[in-house]
Short mmCIF file of all heavy atoms in Angstrom, two decimals:
data_model
loop_
_atom_site.label_atom_id
_atom_site.label_comp_id
_atom_site.label_asym_id
_atom_site.label_seq_id
_atom_site.Cartn_x
_atom_site.Cartn_y
_atom_site.Cartn_z
N MET P 3 2.75 -5.10 -15.12
CA MET P 3 2.95 -5.02 -16.55
C MET P 3 4.44 -4.81 -16.82
O MET P 3 5.04 -3.88 -16.30
CB MET P 3 2.12 -3.86 -17.10
CG MET P 3 1.83 -3.98 -18.55
SD MET P 3 0.91 -2.55 -19.20
CE MET P 3 -0.72 -2.82 -18.56
N GLU P 4 5.05 -5.65 -17.58
CA GLU P 4 6.47 -5.55 -17.87
C GLU P 4 6.75 -4.31 -18.72
O GLU P 4 6.03 -4.00 -19.66
CB GLU P 4 6.93 -6.79 -18.62
CG GLU P 4 8.44 -6.88 -18.71
CD GLU P 4 8.90 -8.20 -19.28
OE1 GLU P 4 8.22 -9.21 -19.04
OE2 GLU P 4 9.91 -8.19 -19.96
N GLY P 5 7.81 -3.59 -18.34
CA GLY P 5 8.18 -2.39 -19.08
C GLY P 5 7.42 -1.14 -18.66
O GLY P 5 7.66 -0.07 -19.16
N THR P 6 6.50 -1.30 -17.73
CA THR P 6 5.71 -0.18 -17.26
C THR P 6 6.34 0.36 -15.98
O THR P 6 6.69 -0.39 -15.09
CB THR P 6 4.25 -0.61 -16.97
OG1 THR P 6 3.70 -1.11 -18.17
CG2 THR P 6 3.43 0.55 -16.47
N THR P 7 6.48 1.67 -15.93
CA THR P 7 7.04 2.30 -14.75
C THR P 7 6.05 3.32 -14.22
O THR P 7 5.89 4.39 -14.79
CB THR P 7 8.38 3.00 -15.08
OG1 THR P 7 9.24 2.06 -15.69
CG2 THR P 7 9.02 3.57 -13.84
N ILE P 8 5.37 2.94 -13.15
CA ILE P 8 4.43 3.84 -12.51
C ILE P 8 5.18 4.55 -11.39
O ILE P 8 5.74 3.91 -10.51
CB ILE P 8 3.21 3.08 -11.95
CG1 ILE P 8 2.49 2.31 -13.05
CG2 ILE P 8 2.28 4.02 -11.22
CD1 ILE P 8 1.90 3.19 -14.15
N PRO P 9 5.20 5.89 -11.41
CA PRO P 9 5.93 6.62 -10.38
C PRO P 9 5.18 6.58 -9.05
O PRO P 9 3.96 6.37 -9.00
CB PRO P 9 5.95 8.05 -10.92
CG PRO P 9 4.70 8.14 -11.73
CD PRO P 9 4.54 6.77 -12.35
N THR P 10 5.92 6.79 -7.98
CA THR P 10 5.28 6.92 -6.68
C THR P 10 4.62 8.29 -6.60
O THR P 10 4.96 9.21 -7.35
CB THR P 10 6.29 6.79 -5.54
OG1 THR P 10 7.21 7.89 -5.61
CG2 THR P 10 7.05 5.47 -5.58
N GLU P 11 3.69 8.41 -5.68
CA GLU P 11 3.04 9.70 -5.45
C GLU P 11 4.10 10.75 -5.11
O GLU P 11 4.04 11.88 -5.59
CB GLU P 11 2.04 9.53 -4.31
CG GLU P 11 1.08 10.65 -4.17
CD GLU P 11 0.00 10.31 -3.16
OE1 GLU P 11 0.25 10.54 -1.95
OE2 GLU P 11 -1.06 9.81 -3.56
N GLU P 12 5.06 10.37 -4.29
CA GLU P 12 6.12 11.30 -3.88
C GLU P 12 6.93 11.78 -5.09
O GLU P 12 7.26 12.97 -5.18
CB GLU P 12 7.05 10.64 -2.85
CG GLU P 12 8.17 11.52 -2.37
CD GLU P 12 7.71 12.78 -1.63
OE1 GLU P 12 6.61 12.79 -1.06
OE2 GLU P 12 8.47 13.76 -1.63
N GLU P 13 7.24 10.89 -6.01
CA GLU P 13 7.98 11.28 -7.21
C GLU P 13 7.19 12.32 -8.02
O GLU P 13 7.77 13.29 -8.52
CB GLU P 13 8.28 10.07 -8.09
CG GLU P 13 9.32 9.13 -7.53
CD GLU P 13 9.47 7.87 -8.35
OE1 GLU P 13 8.45 7.24 -8.69
OE2 GLU P 13 10.63 7.52 -8.64
N VAL P 14 5.90 12.10 -8.15
CA VAL P 14 5.07 13.05 -8.89
C VAL P 14 4.99 14.37 -8.15
O VAL P 14 5.08 15.44 -8.76
CB VAL P 14 3.66 12.46 -9.15
CG1 VAL P 14 2.77 13.49 -9.82
CG2 VAL P 14 3.76 11.21 -10.02
N PHE P 15 4.85 14.33 -6.83
CA PHE P 15 4.75 15.56 -6.05
C PHE P 15 6.04 16.38 -6.15
O PHE P 15 6.00 17.60 -6.28
CB PHE P 15 4.43 15.26 -4.59
CG PHE P 15 3.00 14.84 -4.34
CD1 PHE P 15 2.09 14.69 -5.39
CD2 PHE P 15 2.57 14.58 -3.06
CE1 PHE P 15 0.78 14.30 -5.15
CE2 PHE P 15 1.25 14.20 -2.81
CZ PHE P 15 0.36 14.06 -3.86
N VAL P 16 7.19 15.71 -6.11
CA VAL P 16 8.47 16.42 -6.28
C VAL P 16 8.52 17.05 -7.66
O VAL P 16 8.92 18.21 -7.81
CB VAL P 16 9.66 15.46 -6.05
CG1 VAL P 16 10.97 16.09 -6.50
CG2 VAL P 16 9.74 15.05 -4.59
N PHE P 17 8.11 16.30 -8.68
CA PHE P 17 8.07 16.84 -10.04
C PHE P 17 7.17 18.07 -10.11
O PHE P 17 7.55 19.09 -10.69
CB PHE P 17 7.59 15.76 -11.01
CG PHE P 17 7.29 16.30 -12.38
CD1 PHE P 17 8.31 16.67 -13.24
CD2 PHE P 17 5.98 16.45 -12.81
CE1 PHE P 17 8.03 17.19 -14.50
CE2 PHE P 17 5.69 16.95 -14.06
CZ PHE P 17 6.72 17.32 -14.91
N LEU P 18 5.99 17.99 -9.50
CA LEU P 18 5.05 19.12 -9.52
C LEU P 18 5.58 20.31 -8.74
O LEU P 18 5.40 21.46 -9.17
CB LEU P 18 3.68 18.68 -8.99
CG LEU P 18 2.91 17.74 -9.91
CD1 LEU P 18 1.68 17.20 -9.19
CD2 LEU P 18 2.53 18.43 -11.21
N ASP P 19 6.26 20.07 -7.64
CA ASP P 19 6.88 21.17 -6.90
C ASP P 19 7.90 21.90 -7.77
O ASP P 19 7.95 23.13 -7.80
CB ASP P 19 7.57 20.66 -5.62
CG ASP P 19 6.59 20.23 -4.54
OD1 ASP P 19 5.41 20.65 -4.58
OD2 ASP P 19 7.02 19.47 -3.64
N GLU P 20 8.72 21.12 -8.48
CA GLU P 20 9.73 21.71 -9.37
C GLU P 20 9.07 22.44 -10.53
O GLU P 20 9.53 23.51 -10.93
CB GLU P 20 10.69 20.62 -9.85
CG GLU P 20 11.55 20.07 -8.75
CD GLU P 20 12.35 18.84 -9.14
OE1 GLU P 20 12.18 18.32 -10.28
OE2 GLU P 20 13.15 18.37 -8.30
N LEU P 21 8.01 21.86 -11.07
CA LEU P 21 7.29 22.50 -12.17
C LEU P 21 6.70 23.83 -11.71
O LEU P 21 6.79 24.85 -12.41
CB LEU P 21 6.18 21.57 -12.68
CG LEU P 21 5.36 22.08 -13.86
CD1 LEU P 21 6.24 22.29 -15.09
CD2 LEU P 21 4.23 21.10 -14.17
N ARG P 22 6.14 23.85 -10.52
CA ARG P 22 5.57 25.08 -9.96
C ARG P 22 6.65 26.15 -9.82
O ARG P 22 6.46 27.30 -10.18
CB ARG P 22 4.93 24.80 -8.60
CG ARG P 22 4.34 26.03 -7.95
CD ARG P 22 3.73 25.67 -6.60
NE ARG P 22 3.22 26.85 -5.95
CZ ARG P 22 3.92 27.61 -5.11
NH1 ARG P 22 5.17 27.29 -4.83
NH2 ARG P 22 3.37 28.67 -4.56
N GLU P 23 7.80 25.75 -9.28
CA GLU P 23 8.92 26.68 -9.10
C GLU P 23 9.42 27.24 -10.43
O GLU P 23 9.85 28.39 -10.49
CB GLU P 23 10.07 26.01 -8.35
CG GLU P 23 9.80 25.78 -6.89
CD GLU P 23 9.65 27.08 -6.10
OE1 GLU P 23 10.46 28.00 -6.31
OE2 GLU P 23 8.71 27.17 -5.29
N SER P 24 9.33 26.46 -11.48
CA SER P 24 9.81 26.90 -12.79
C SER P 24 8.90 27.93 -13.43
O SER P 24 9.33 28.66 -14.33
CB SER P 24 9.96 25.71 -13.74
OG SER P 24 8.69 25.27 -14.22
N ALA P 25 7.64 27.97 -13.00
CA ALA P 25 6.64 28.91 -13.54
C ALA P 25 6.40 28.71 -15.04
O ALA P 25 6.01 29.63 -15.74
CB ALA P 25 7.02 30.35 -13.23
N VAL P 26 6.62 27.50 -15.52
CA VAL P 26 6.43 27.20 -16.94
C VAL P 26 4.95 27.18 -17.31
O VAL P 26 4.58 27.55 -18.42
CB VAL P 26 7.09 25.84 -17.28
CG1 VAL P 26 6.67 25.33 -18.64
CG2 VAL P 26 8.60 25.96 -17.20
N THR P 27 4.11 26.76 -16.38
CA THR P 27 2.69 26.61 -16.69
C THR P 27 1.84 26.96 -15.47
O THR P 27 2.32 26.93 -14.34
CB THR P 27 2.37 25.16 -17.12
OG1 THR P 27 1.01 25.08 -17.56
CG2 THR P 27 2.60 24.16 -16.01
N ASN P 28 0.60 27.27 -15.74
CA ASN P 28 -0.39 27.36 -14.67
C ASN P 28 -0.60 25.94 -14.18
O ASN P 28 -0.80 25.02 -14.98
CB ASN P 28 -1.69 27.94 -15.25
CG ASN P 28 -2.79 28.05 -14.25
OD1 ASN P 28 -3.15 27.08 -13.59
ND2 ASN P 28 -3.34 29.23 -14.13
N MET P 29 -0.60 25.74 -12.88
CA MET P 29 -0.65 24.39 -12.35
C MET P 29 -1.95 23.66 -12.64
O MET P 29 -2.00 22.44 -12.61
CB MET P 29 -0.34 24.39 -10.85
CG MET P 29 1.09 24.81 -10.53
SD MET P 29 2.36 23.90 -11.47
CE MET P 29 2.25 22.29 -10.71
N PHE P 30 -3.01 24.37 -12.99
CA PHE P 30 -4.25 23.68 -13.35
C PHE P 30 -4.08 22.88 -14.65
O PHE P 30 -4.85 21.96 -14.91
CB PHE P 30 -5.41 24.67 -13.47
CG PHE P 30 -5.88 25.16 -12.14
CD1 PHE P 30 -5.51 26.41 -11.68
CD2 PHE P 30 -6.69 24.37 -11.34
CE1 PHE P 30 -5.93 26.86 -10.44
CE2 PHE P 30 -7.11 24.81 -10.09
CZ PHE P 30 -6.73 26.06 -9.64
N GLY P 31 -3.06 23.20 -15.44
CA GLY P 31 -2.79 22.47 -16.67
C GLY P 31 -1.65 21.47 -16.53
O GLY P 31 -1.16 20.94 -17.53
N ALA P 32 -1.25 21.18 -15.31
CA ALA P 32 -0.07 20.34 -15.08
C ALA P 32 -0.29 18.85 -15.36
O ALA P 32 0.67 18.11 -15.47
CB ALA P 32 0.44 20.53 -13.66
N GLY P 33 -1.54 18.42 -15.50
CA GLY P 33 -1.79 17.00 -15.80
C GLY P 33 -1.07 16.55 -17.05
O GLY P 33 -0.52 15.44 -17.11
N GLU P 34 -1.06 17.40 -18.06
CA GLU P 34 -0.37 17.08 -19.31
C GLU P 34 1.13 16.92 -19.08
O GLU P 34 1.77 16.04 -19.66
CB GLU P 34 -0.64 18.18 -20.33
CG GLU P 34 -0.05 17.92 -21.68
CD GLU P 34 -0.40 19.00 -22.69
OE1 GLU P 34 -1.44 19.66 -22.53
OE2 GLU P 34 0.40 19.18 -23.62
N TYR P 35 1.69 17.75 -18.23
CA TYR P 35 3.11 17.66 -17.91
C TYR P 35 3.43 16.38 -17.16
O TYR P 35 4.48 15.77 -17.38
CB TYR P 35 3.55 18.88 -17.10
CG TYR P 35 3.65 20.13 -17.92
CD1 TYR P 35 2.52 20.90 -18.20
CD2 TYR P 35 4.87 20.56 -18.43
CE1 TYR P 35 2.61 22.05 -18.96
CE2 TYR P 35 4.97 21.70 -19.19
CZ TYR P 35 3.83 22.44 -19.46
OH TYR P 35 3.93 23.58 -20.22
N ILE P 36 2.53 15.97 -16.27
CA ILE P 36 2.72 14.69 -15.56
C ILE P 36 2.78 13.55 -16.56
O ILE P 36 3.67 12.70 -16.51
CB ILE P 36 1.58 14.44 -14.55
CG1 ILE P 36 1.62 15.48 -13.43
CG2 ILE P 36 1.67 13.02 -13.98
CD1 ILE P 36 0.39 15.44 -12.52
N ARG P 37 1.84 13.53 -17.51
CA ARG P 37 1.80 12.45 -18.50
C ARG P 37 3.01 12.49 -19.43
O ARG P 37 3.47 11.43 -19.88
CB ARG P 37 0.50 12.50 -19.28
CG ARG P 37 -0.70 12.13 -18.42
CD ARG P 37 -1.98 11.95 -19.21
NE ARG P 37 -2.33 13.06 -20.08
CZ ARG P 37 -2.94 14.18 -19.67
NH1 ARG P 37 -3.25 14.35 -18.40
NH2 ARG P 37 -3.25 15.12 -20.52
N PHE P 38 3.53 13.67 -19.72
CA PHE P 38 4.72 13.76 -20.56
C PHE P 38 5.94 13.22 -19.81
O PHE P 38 6.74 12.46 -20.36
CB PHE P 38 4.96 15.21 -20.99
CG PHE P 38 6.14 15.36 -21.90
CD1 PHE P 38 6.05 15.04 -23.24
CD2 PHE P 38 7.35 15.81 -21.42
CE1 PHE P 38 7.14 15.17 -24.10
CE2 PHE P 38 8.46 15.94 -22.24
CZ PHE P 38 8.35 15.62 -23.59
N ARG P 39 6.08 13.59 -18.54
CA ARG P 39 7.22 13.17 -17.73
C ARG P 39 7.13 11.69 -17.34
O ARG P 39 8.12 10.99 -17.26
CB ARG P 39 7.32 14.05 -16.48
CG ARG P 39 8.30 13.60 -15.41
CD ARG P 39 9.73 13.60 -15.93
NE ARG P 39 10.65 13.14 -14.93
CZ ARG P 39 10.94 11.86 -14.68
NH1 ARG P 39 10.37 10.90 -15.39
NH2 ARG P 39 11.79 11.53 -13.75
N PHE P 40 5.90 11.23 -17.08
CA PHE P 40 5.66 9.85 -16.66
C PHE P 40 4.66 9.22 -17.64
O PHE P 40 3.46 9.18 -17.39
CB PHE P 40 5.08 9.81 -15.24
CG PHE P 40 5.94 10.50 -14.21
CD1 PHE P 40 5.61 11.77 -13.73
CD2 PHE P 40 7.07 9.88 -13.69
CE1 PHE P 40 6.39 12.40 -12.78
CE2 PHE P 40 7.86 10.51 -12.74
CZ PHE P 40 7.52 11.78 -12.28
N PRO P 41 5.14 8.75 -18.79
CA PRO P 41 4.26 8.30 -19.88
C PRO P 41 3.31 7.15 -19.52
O PRO P 41 2.30 6.97 -20.19
CB PRO P 41 5.23 7.86 -20.98
CG PRO P 41 6.55 8.40 -20.62
CD PRO P 41 6.54 8.68 -19.15
N ASP P 42 3.61 6.39 -18.48
CA ASP P 42 2.75 5.26 -18.12
C ASP P 42 1.58 5.68 -17.22
O ASP P 42 0.76 4.84 -16.86
CB ASP P 42 3.56 4.15 -17.45
CG ASP P 42 4.54 3.51 -18.43
OD1 ASP P 42 4.17 3.38 -19.62
OD2 ASP P 42 5.65 3.17 -18.03
N VAL P 43 1.51 6.95 -16.87
CA VAL P 43 0.42 7.45 -16.04
C VAL P 43 -0.76 7.82 -16.96
O VAL P 43 -0.58 8.53 -17.95
CB VAL P 43 0.87 8.67 -15.21
CG1 VAL P 43 -0.30 9.32 -14.50
CG2 VAL P 43 1.95 8.26 -14.22
N THR P 44 -1.93 7.34 -16.61
CA THR P 44 -3.12 7.64 -17.42
C THR P 44 -3.59 9.07 -17.17
O THR P 44 -3.20 9.71 -16.18
CB THR P 44 -4.28 6.69 -17.06
OG1 THR P 44 -4.67 6.94 -15.70
CG2 THR P 44 -3.89 5.23 -17.25
N ARG P 45 -4.44 9.54 -18.04
CA ARG P 45 -5.02 10.88 -17.87
C ARG P 45 -5.78 10.97 -16.55
O ARG P 45 -5.64 11.93 -15.81
CB ARG P 45 -5.94 11.18 -19.05
CG ARG P 45 -6.55 12.55 -18.95
CD ARG P 45 -7.49 12.81 -20.12
NE ARG P 45 -8.21 14.02 -19.80
CZ ARG P 45 -8.40 15.01 -20.64
NH1 ARG P 45 -7.94 14.93 -21.86
NH2 ARG P 45 -9.05 16.07 -20.26
N TYR P 46 -6.59 9.95 -16.28
CA TYR P 46 -7.34 9.93 -15.01
C TYR P 46 -6.39 10.02 -13.82
O TYR P 46 -6.60 10.80 -12.89
CB TYR P 46 -8.18 8.65 -14.93
CG TYR P 46 -8.85 8.48 -13.59
CD1 TYR P 46 -10.05 9.13 -13.29
CD2 TYR P 46 -8.26 7.69 -12.60
CE1 TYR P 46 -10.65 9.00 -12.05
CE2 TYR P 46 -8.86 7.56 -11.36
CZ TYR P 46 -10.04 8.21 -11.08
OH TYR P 46 -10.63 8.09 -9.86
N GLU P 47 -5.34 9.19 -13.82
CA GLU P 47 -4.40 9.16 -12.70
C GLU P 47 -3.64 10.48 -12.58
O GLU P 47 -3.38 10.96 -11.48
CB GLU P 47 -3.44 7.98 -12.86
CG GLU P 47 -2.49 7.80 -11.71
CD GLU P 47 -3.15 7.38 -10.40
OE1 GLU P 47 -4.37 7.11 -10.36
OE2 GLU P 47 -2.44 7.33 -9.39
N SER P 48 -3.29 11.09 -13.70
CA SER P 48 -2.58 12.37 -13.63
C SER P 48 -3.45 13.44 -12.99
O SER P 48 -2.97 14.25 -12.19
CB SER P 48 -2.09 12.81 -15.01
OG SER P 48 -3.16 13.19 -15.85
N HIS P 49 -4.73 13.43 -13.30
CA HIS P 49 -5.64 14.41 -12.69
C HIS P 49 -5.86 14.11 -11.21
O HIS P 49 -5.96 15.03 -10.40
CB HIS P 49 -6.97 14.44 -13.45
CG HIS P 49 -6.85 15.09 -14.78
ND1 HIS P 49 -6.76 16.45 -14.94
CD2 HIS P 49 -6.77 14.57 -16.02
CE1 HIS P 49 -6.64 16.74 -16.23
NE2 HIS P 49 -6.64 15.61 -16.91
N ARG P 50 -5.92 12.84 -10.86
CA ARG P 50 -6.07 12.46 -9.46
C ARG P 50 -4.85 12.91 -8.65
O ARG P 50 -4.96 13.49 -7.57
CB ARG P 50 -6.26 10.95 -9.31
CG ARG P 50 -6.59 10.52 -7.87
CD ARG P 50 -6.42 9.02 -7.68
NE ARG P 50 -5.04 8.59 -7.74
CZ ARG P 50 -4.14 8.75 -6.74
NH1 ARG P 50 -4.47 9.38 -5.64
NH2 ARG P 50 -2.92 8.29 -6.87
N LEU P 51 -3.66 12.65 -9.20
CA LEU P 51 -2.42 13.05 -8.53
C LEU P 51 -2.31 14.56 -8.42
O LEU P 51 -1.90 15.09 -7.38
CB LEU P 51 -1.22 12.47 -9.27
CG LEU P 51 -1.01 10.98 -9.13
CD1 LEU P 51 -0.08 10.46 -10.21
CD2 LEU P 51 -0.48 10.64 -7.74
N LEU P 52 -2.67 15.26 -9.48
CA LEU P 52 -2.62 16.73 -9.45
C LEU P 52 -3.57 17.28 -8.40
O LEU P 52 -3.20 18.17 -7.62
CB LEU P 52 -2.95 17.30 -10.83
CG LEU P 52 -2.98 18.82 -10.95
CD1 LEU P 52 -1.64 19.43 -10.54
CD2 LEU P 52 -3.36 19.22 -12.37
N ALA P 53 -4.78 16.74 -8.32
CA ALA P 53 -5.75 17.19 -7.32
C ALA P 53 -5.23 16.94 -5.91
O ALA P 53 -5.33 17.81 -5.04
CB ALA P 53 -7.09 16.50 -7.53
N LYS P 54 -4.64 15.78 -5.69
CA LYS P 54 -4.11 15.46 -4.36
C LYS P 54 -2.93 16.38 -4.03
O LYS P 54 -2.79 16.83 -2.90
CB LYS P 54 -3.70 14.00 -4.27
CG LYS P 54 -3.31 13.61 -2.86
CD LYS P 54 -3.31 12.14 -2.65
CE LYS P 54 -2.99 11.84 -1.18
NZ LYS P 54 -2.88 10.41 -0.95
N TRP P 55 -2.08 16.65 -5.01
CA TRP P 55 -0.95 17.56 -4.80
C TRP P 55 -1.47 18.93 -4.38
O TRP P 55 -0.96 19.53 -3.44
CB TRP P 55 -0.11 17.65 -6.09
CG TRP P 55 1.02 18.63 -6.02
CD1 TRP P 55 2.26 18.42 -5.49
CD2 TRP P 55 1.01 19.98 -6.51
NE1 TRP P 55 3.02 19.54 -5.62
CE2 TRP P 55 2.27 20.52 -6.24
CE3 TRP P 55 0.06 20.76 -7.15
CZ2 TRP P 55 2.62 21.82 -6.58
CZ3 TRP P 55 0.40 22.05 -7.49
CH2 TRP P 55 1.66 22.58 -7.21
N MET P 56 -2.50 19.42 -5.07
CA MET P 56 -3.08 20.72 -4.73
C MET P 56 -3.70 20.71 -3.33
O MET P 56 -3.52 21.64 -2.55
CB MET P 56 -4.12 21.13 -5.76
CG MET P 56 -3.54 21.50 -7.09
SD MET P 56 -4.85 21.93 -8.26
CE MET P 56 -3.90 22.48 -9.65
N GLU P 57 -4.45 19.65 -3.03
CA GLU P 57 -5.12 19.55 -1.73
C GLU P 57 -4.15 19.49 -0.56
O GLU P 57 -4.47 19.94 0.53
CB GLU P 57 -6.02 18.32 -1.70
CG GLU P 57 -7.22 18.41 -2.61
CD GLU P 57 -7.93 17.07 -2.81
OE1 GLU P 57 -7.49 16.04 -2.23
OE2 GLU P 57 -8.91 17.06 -3.56
N THR P 58 -2.98 18.91 -0.77
CA THR P 58 -2.03 18.70 0.31
C THR P 58 -0.86 19.68 0.28
O THR P 58 0.04 19.59 1.11
CB THR P 58 -1.48 17.26 0.28
OG1 THR P 58 -0.77 17.05 -0.95
CG2 THR P 58 -2.59 16.24 0.43
N PHE P 59 -0.88 20.63 -0.65
CA PHE P 59 0.26 21.53 -0.81
C PHE P 59 0.60 22.26 0.48
O PHE P 59 1.76 22.30 0.90
CB PHE P 59 0.01 22.53 -1.95
CG PHE P 59 1.21 23.39 -2.24
CD1 PHE P 59 2.21 22.94 -3.08
CD2 PHE P 59 1.36 24.63 -1.64
CE1 PHE P 59 3.33 23.70 -3.34
CE2 PHE P 59 2.47 25.41 -1.88
CZ PHE P 59 3.46 24.95 -2.73
N SER P 60 -0.38 22.88 1.12
CA SER P 60 -0.10 23.67 2.32
C SER P 60 0.39 22.80 3.49
O SER P 60 1.16 23.27 4.32
CB SER P 60 -1.31 24.51 2.74
OG SER P 60 -2.39 23.67 3.03
N GLU P 61 -0.03 21.56 3.53
CA GLU P 61 0.47 20.65 4.57
C GLU P 61 1.95 20.32 4.34
O GLU P 61 2.73 20.22 5.27
CB GLU P 61 -0.31 19.34 4.56
CG GLU P 61 -1.76 19.46 4.95
CD GLU P 61 -2.52 18.18 4.67
OE1 GLU P 61 -1.90 17.08 4.61
OE2 GLU P 61 -3.74 18.26 4.48
N ARG P 62 2.30 20.13 3.08
CA ARG P 62 3.69 19.77 2.75
C ARG P 62 4.61 20.97 2.71
O ARG P 62 5.82 20.82 2.84
CB ARG P 62 3.72 19.03 1.40
CG ARG P 62 3.04 17.66 1.45
CD ARG P 62 3.02 16.92 0.12
NE ARG P 62 2.13 17.58 -0.83
CZ ARG P 62 2.51 18.35 -1.84
NH1 ARG P 62 3.78 18.52 -2.08
NH2 ARG P 62 1.63 18.93 -2.63
N HIS P 63 4.06 22.16 2.52
CA HIS P 63 4.84 23.40 2.44
C HIS P 63 4.23 24.45 3.37
O HIS P 63 3.66 25.43 2.89
CB HIS P 63 4.86 23.92 1.00
CG HIS P 63 5.43 22.94 0.02
ND1 HIS P 63 6.78 22.72 -0.12
CD2 HIS P 63 4.82 22.10 -0.86
CE1 HIS P 63 6.98 21.80 -1.05
NE2 HIS P 63 5.80 21.41 -1.51
N PRO P 64 4.33 24.26 4.67
CA PRO P 64 3.65 25.16 5.60
C PRO P 64 4.17 26.60 5.58
O PRO P 64 3.46 27.51 6.01
CB PRO P 64 3.89 24.51 6.96
CG PRO P 64 5.06 23.62 6.78
CD PRO P 64 5.05 23.20 5.34
N ASN P 65 5.35 26.84 5.05
CA ASN P 65 5.92 28.18 5.03
C ASN P 65 5.79 28.87 3.69
O ASN P 65 6.54 29.78 3.37
CB ASN P 65 7.39 28.14 5.46
CG ASN P 65 7.55 27.64 6.88
OD1 ASN P 65 6.70 27.93 7.71
ND2 ASN P 65 8.60 26.92 7.13
N GLY P 66 4.88 28.41 2.87
CA GLY P 66 4.70 29.10 1.62
C GLY P 66 4.55 28.20 0.49
O GLY P 66 4.28 28.40 -0.58
#
């Protein structure tokens, strides 16, 4: 789709890591923040990405 920018999973995960560090929101509500930062991401996709970020957090951050 022309003009559409779908972020990579890695881009979203970096964004979520930064959002978590900022302590702006409880991460269970971060789907809305994903959609605000990446407007071309659907609600379904934002929830899928958030769930995957949560599921893989300890693998990507083994020291905390």
Side-chain angles (χ1 to χ4, degrees):
M3 202 183 286
E4 191 172 327
T6 300
T7 306
I8 301 298
T10 65
E11 194 172 86
E12 180 63 25
E13 289 174 312
V14 175
F15 286 3
V16 168
F17 170 73
L18 289 171
D19 288 340
E20 292 171 355
L21 182 62
R22 179 180 177 269
E23 287 295 316
S24 76
V26 167
T27 187
N28 178 306
M29 294 309 290
F30 287 101
E34 183 177 334
Y35 286 82
I36 294 170
R37 291 189 307 279
F38 182 79
R39 170 63 182 85
F40 304 103
D42 293 324
V43 172
T44 65
R45 181 181 169 134
Y46 173 82
E47 184 67 5
S48 70
H49 287 284
R50 186 195 69 76
L51 288 162
L52 178 58
K54 187 163 184 184
W55 176 83
M56 289 179 174
E57 291 167 0
T58 62
F59 185 85
S60 61
E61 294 170 24
R62 293 178 291 103
H63 302 282
N65 298 325

